[in-house]
Amino acid sequence: MCGISGWLLRPGTARDDSHLVAMADAIEHRGPDDRGYYFDRERGVAFGHNRLSIIDLSPAGHQPMASEDGLFVLSYNGELYNFLDLRRELEGLGHQFHSRTDSEVVLHGFIQWGPACLDRFNGMFAFAIWSAGESKLFLARDPLGMKPLYYAALPSDQGFVFASEIKAFLALPDFKVHINRDALDQFLEFGYTFDDHATSLEGVFKLPPGHSMEVVEGAAFQPKAFFTPPAPDASEMGAREQELYETLSKVVAQHLIADVPVGLLLSGGLDSSILAALAARHTRITTISMGFAQSAIDERPRARAVANHIGSDHREITIHPHEISEDLEEIAWYFDDLFADWGTVSTRLMYKKCRELGIKVVLVGEGSDELFGGYPIFDAAMSARGPMTWKLFQLYRRYAGRRYGSHFAKFAAIMRRHLGESNGDLFNAVRLFESRNQLPNNYVMKVDKASMSVSVEARAPFLDRRVAELAYRTPAHCLLKDGANKYLLRSMAERFELLPIETTRREKFGASIAASWMDESEKFRDYARQVILDRNGWVDELGLRAAMTDYFNGKRQGYSFPRAISIFSNLAWRLLLLNLWSRRYVGV
């Protein structure tokens, strides 16, 4: 796991090497174990690499990594979980390896198969490969978007620049920052930017999940999709349970491979409990759970029961309100883009405490709800009635934090595209929106930025391509059944006796952070009021001072229809993050 950065300049232009050093410095937290650079000044190519050593901790894993003939150079961020199988295949084809890393497998895989190697890779990754023979830069991002990859045009048409985090671009002395107002509106409405390529800054883009891109002479071609989710099929339920058990078992076993200590974040809910139970069948796993002081939300008793059942080495962590407020401004810097999941801060604190426990890799349960139908929005899709436009508007109201907003047309266009890919199946269209728009632009970025900010690698077995493809092939009636969601996961866990019945049949619990602190903790509420109502912040420009004053002074929870703003606590949290983010990124 690492941080990558670099550029490809247009012919006749040049850039100071110190600029690349500054970019790498800005994202050092992603890889504090090693630093490397590659320069081909004649062709205008430069790579920077910050390494977090996970597999083969020796200098043999140093990057950027070049082929023996020097024709290919790799800068890679991620983990390739099937790298041992691919290595054996490549060795059979005559390739020789000089390390035990998965990075070298990525390099040789590209040399052997070209861009078609992406169809063979099972993992989370974002990488850049320079092909000197073709004078071409090749970029790719994993199918589910677990690893970020941002890019932009250099000022004055000098060329193309890329990095694992946006803040690397801010290290360039001539890079100008302008906020993307359309993305800002999406953030206020949805809590994140759901466009698969836009970011909160004008001119800065993200490579969409499951896409690759070529850059020649500093000019980028349009991204190309290499991954398309399969359509639902008619497989029998028993065969589906068997396939899911075998696939998840193999995937979890591969996710445990590391040369450093591995743990698992255990909430006591269905998803993390299944992963913990499967991991425990391979090794004695360390499980970690958290609770929130001064809040009714506490997942530790449930997690403790699961840990006792599977026999894990269990640790418990308590997070306090003052830790949240003290860490928020730092979070706004580390998290790069705007997204407002309540778990942003607590998640980072959790990973930080894991690192203090000596754990460098953690398995997490992200992705299950989006892929296996775990949210109420899936039930809403199944029960929606009326013309399709009306159905989409009802779904939009559930997604939008203010309920009646200005982005319905864009949302509807995306949903209609997903409907076209789903033969009109609204359940599957919602699943595509959840997994292709919300997950990679919001929840997964929370996991990546939170973990990497404290130099911890988070692995999500449910987002392994093999598990995701199985989920996509599963129709609605296998997931919403007998009044339960994620039915296939529950029935699989019961059939193979992974967990107690009370765990497999438990409803989704609570939230990932004590969202109630905005109302329950007087100290945290006073802190939020001070930041949100700051005259130098956004509340006046957005016309929201009256609403936020009503919220903080009168504890009003929202305005009733037809006024657009209806959920004040959501909006307050978004404005809090927006103001803190702006102070670091755009100087507002």
Side-chain angles (χ1 to χ4, degrees), residues 451-473:
S451 60
M452 295 304 288
S453 72
V454 292
S455 308
V456 168
E457 175 175 298
R459 299 176 175 181
F462 285 114
L463 293 176
D464 186 284
R465 177 177 184 158
R466 294 160 289 187
V467 179
E469 288 179 333
L470 192 157
Y472 284 127
R473 289 192 284 104

Side-chain angles (χ1 to χ4, degrees), residues 7-18:
W7 60 62
L8 177 58
L9 304 179
R10 289 190 180 275
T13 61
R15 183 162 280 270
D16 196 294
D17 294 354
S18 65

Side-chain angles (χ1 to χ4, degrees), residues 549-560:
T549 301
D550 278 353
Y551 173 62
F552 284 112
N553 292 347
K555 293 195 175 181
R556 177 178 285 188
Q557 297 306 306
Y559 294 146
S560 58

Side-chain angles (χ1 to χ4, degrees), residues 256-569:
L256 293 170
I257 297 173
D259 294 332
V260 295
V262 178
L264 187 147
L265 299 189
L266 179 63
S267 69
L270 179 68
D271 307 328
S272 62
S273 297
I274 285 176
L275 298 181
L278 288 170
R281 292 188 174 183
H282 296 286
T283 186
R284 180 169 168 80
I285 188 73
T286 298
T287 53
I288 308 101
S289 66
M290 67 178 171
F292 299 102
Q294 301 178 34
S295 172
I297 297 174
D298 192 350
E299 61 193 20
R300 286 173 297 180
R302 299 183 180 198
R304 198 177 304 135
V306 174
N308 289 336
H309 178 79
I310 65 173
S312 66
D313 177 14
H314 191 60
R315 315 288 180 87
E316 294 184 351
I317 292 169
T318 302
I319 293 174
H320 300 268
H322 72 87
E323 293 181 281
I324 297 292
S325 55
E326 289 171 0
D327 210 40
L328 260 177
E329 206 149 344
E330 194 81 349
I331 280 289
W333 172 246
Y334 279 117
F335 275 47
D336 249 3
D337 216 347
L338 286 170
F339 45 90
D341 180 75
W342 284 96
T344 50
V345 187
S346 62
T347 301
R348 180 173 186 261
L349 285 169
M350 184 76 161
Y351 290 123
K352 185 177 181 181
K353 292 174 186 288
C354 285
R355 186 66 192 244
E356 291 169 358
L357 291 171
I359 296 170
K360 201 171 181 180
V361 173
V362 294
L363 272 59
V364 297
E366 256 72 20
S368 173
D369 287 316
E370 292 80 3
L371 290 166
F372 288 93
Y375 293 134
I377 194 75
F378 288 103
D379 294 293
M382 294 297 287
S383 61
R385 297 291 181 267
M388 184 55 71
T389 299
W390 175 245
K391 292 179 182 179
L392 295 181
F393 184 65
Q394 293 304 305
L395 296 177
Y396 174 79
R397 285 179 57 192
R398 287 176 173 268
Y399 277 119
R402 292 189 287 169
R403 290 198 183 159
Y404 306 93
S406 58
H407 283 274
F408 174 65
K410 183 169 289 188
F411 170 80
I414 292 173
M415 286 298 296
R416 289 189 185 279
R417 186 177 75 236
H418 292 326
L419 280 165
E421 298 168 2
S422 306
N423 295 317
D425 180 348
L426 188 56
F427 175 93
N428 201 48
V430 168
R431 177 163 51 188
L432 290 174
F433 182 84
E434 288 282 338
S435 59
R436 306 295 283 171
N437 297 92
Q438 176 155 262
L439 189 65
N441 297 322
N442 187 14
Y443 299 137
V444 167
M445 286 303 94
K446 171 195 73 176
V447 171
D448 175 82
K449 303 296 174 61
S451 60
M452 295 304 288
S453 72
V454 292
S455 308
V456 168
E457 175 175 298
R459 299 176 175 181
F462 285 114
L463 293 176
D464 186 284
R465 177 177 184 158
R466 294 160 289 187
V467 179
E469 288 179 333
L470 192 157
Y472 284 127
R473 289 192 284 104
T474 304
H477 71 267
C478 294
L479 298 175
L480 303 181
K481 185 177 180 180
D482 297 340
N485 60 16
K486 294 188 286 192
Y487 184 83
L488 175 61
L489 278 176
R490 298 178 194 276
S491 62
M492 181 271 294
E494 291 183 11
R495 176 180 169 182
F496 294 97
E497 301 180 341
L498 291 175
L499 298 163
I501 294 294
E502 57 266 27
T503 300
T504 60
R505 300 187 181 181
R506 183 180 296 152
E507 294 184 2
K508 191 172 181 64
F509 171 66
S512 59
I513 185 176
S516 56
W517 279 345
M518 191 71 83
D519 293 319
E520 294 175 0
S521 171
E522 184 176 350
K523 184 176 182 181
F524 186 78
R525 187 178 177 86
D526 287 344
Y527 167 77
R529 180 209 306 263
Q530 179 183 1
V531 175
I532 292 169
L533 297 180
D534 185 349
R535 289 289 178 184
N536 295 317
W538 282 92
V539 68
D540 291 314
E541 182 172 344
L542 296 171
L544 297 172
R545 180 170 292 278
M548 288 296 96
T549 301
D550 278 353
Y551 173 62
F552 284 112
N553 292 347
K555 293 195 175 181
R556 177 178 285 188
Q557 297 306 306
Y559 294 146
S560 58
F561 182 81
R563 298 182 73 172
I565 307 166
S566 58
I567 309 174
F568 281 175
S569 60

Side-chain angles (χ1 to χ4, degrees), residues 33-218:
D33 298 333
D34 189 22
R35 172 79 67 86
Y37 301 100
Y38 169 81
F39 293 100
D40 183 340
R41 295 172 185 81
E42 182 180 346
R43 290 175 169 148
V45 183
F47 284 179
H49 192 271
N50 298 82
R51 185 186 182 200
L52 182 65
S53 303
I54 301 296
I55 295 174
D56 190 347
L57 312 185
S58 76
H62 180 78
Q63 291 190 54
M65 184 178 287
S67 60
E68 289 185 347
D69 58 12
L71 291 177
F72 297 90
V73 182
L74 168 73
S75 188
Y76 166 71
N77 169 32
E79 292 291 347
L80 199 60
Y81 299 117
N82 63 335
F83 78 100
L84 292 175
D85 295 335
L86 291 175
R87 176 177 174 137
R88 284 189 288 269
E89 183 177 359
L90 288 163
E91 285 175 332
L93 293 169
H95 291 260
Q96 295 183 343
F97 291 82
H98 305 283
S99 74
R100 295 185 294 106
T101 66
D102 59 321
S103 308
E104 196 173 7
V105 173
V106 172
L107 177 60
H108 283 271
F110 186 85
I111 293 170
Q112 178 65 39
W113 298 303
C117 68
L118 296 170
D119 296 328
R120 298 170 178 262
F121 289 172
N122 294 323
M124 57 177 181
F125 54 79
F127 65 79
I129 287 184
W130 169 244
S131 300
E134 299 178 283
S135 295
K136 182 184 295 183
L137 177 65
F138 181 83
L139 307 172
R141 186 179 177 200
D142 66 76
L144 279 298
M146 286 182 278
K147 292 291 103 182
L149 188 56
Y150 300 96
Y151 64 92
L154 285 165
S156 305
D157 198 31
Q158 296 175 69
F160 175 94
V161 62
F162 66 90
S164 294
E165 296 187 14
I166 294 173
K167 64 180 62 64
F169 303 147
L170 274 59
L172 299 173
D174 52 346
F175 192 84
K176 305 300 180 185
V177 174
H178 302 285
I179 197 163
N180 181 340
R181 293 305 295 260
D182 185 65
L184 171 61
D185 288 346
Q186 290 182 40
F187 165 74
L188 292 173
E189 191 104 341
F190 278 71
Y192 65 99
T193 302
F194 57 74
D195 278 356
D196 60 6
H197 63 281
T199 72
S200 301
L201 297 182
E202 286 283 1
V204 176
F205 304 96
K206 53 201 173 197
L207 186 63
H211 280 67
S212 63
M213 171 188 277
E214 293 182 346
V215 186
V216 177
E217 294 188 344

